[in-house]
Amino acid sequence: MSVPVAESDLIRRLSCREAAAMTTFYDLYGRTLYRIIRAFVPGEAAAEDVLQESLIKIWNGFGSYDPARGRLYTWAVNICRHQALDYLRQAHVRGVGRTDAWHDVPTAAEPAASGGFVPEHLDVRACLAYLRPAYRRVLELRYFEGLKLEEVAELLALPLGTVKTQQRQALRQLAGLWR
């Protein structure tokens, strides 16, 4: 696996514990990592806290990064995802972010004020179980792992066009389930 020149220089600088390298890392990946965390964590302040914790973990744990096993970005995404999941588990234990009581949830006979569709009530992961395994894996990597199409294609050793087609077909099937 070849590492882009700019990324290999950043990896070298981070390995040398150069503080300015962490600023460069944040400038390159911070916004994307925040969006990935925000997909898991409700609330901007909480997502910012999780990002901060993730960046500390990346800095302190950089010695465990192995460029031969994957890109720096992918490694950082996994750390952020795990931090977000840890936050959600802790929040669940503390009772933060609990869902409404069963009797408070609008039913089909009693549509929500927003017009009847309540996206928070969709269990996307459960819907993925209805997809072909290849389609499911592409969506998991894209939307739950935060990988780019090119990274998914590389990871699955598939042509980019095949991955794009599988993603499109999977999204069509999901749309059919929700109709």
Side-chain angles (χ1 to χ4, degrees), residues 90-113:
Q90 291 170 357
H92 178 72
V93 168
R94 291 188 316 259
V96 175
R98 294 219 173 171
T99 57
D100 297 329
W102 177 254
H103 60 281
D104 293 337
V105 175
T107 63
E110 171 186 289

Side-chain angles (χ1 to χ4, degrees), residues 136-162:
R136 181 179 331 121
R137 185 68 180 138
V138 168
L139 289 188
E140 287 171 346
L141 290 170
R142 286 281 290 140
Y143 297 103
F144 296 116
E145 302 287 328
L147 300 181
K148 296 178 183 176
L149 281 169
E150 295 81 8
E151 293 170 326
V152 173
E154 182 180 326
L155 184 69
L156 298 177
L158 293 171
L160 180 59
T162 301

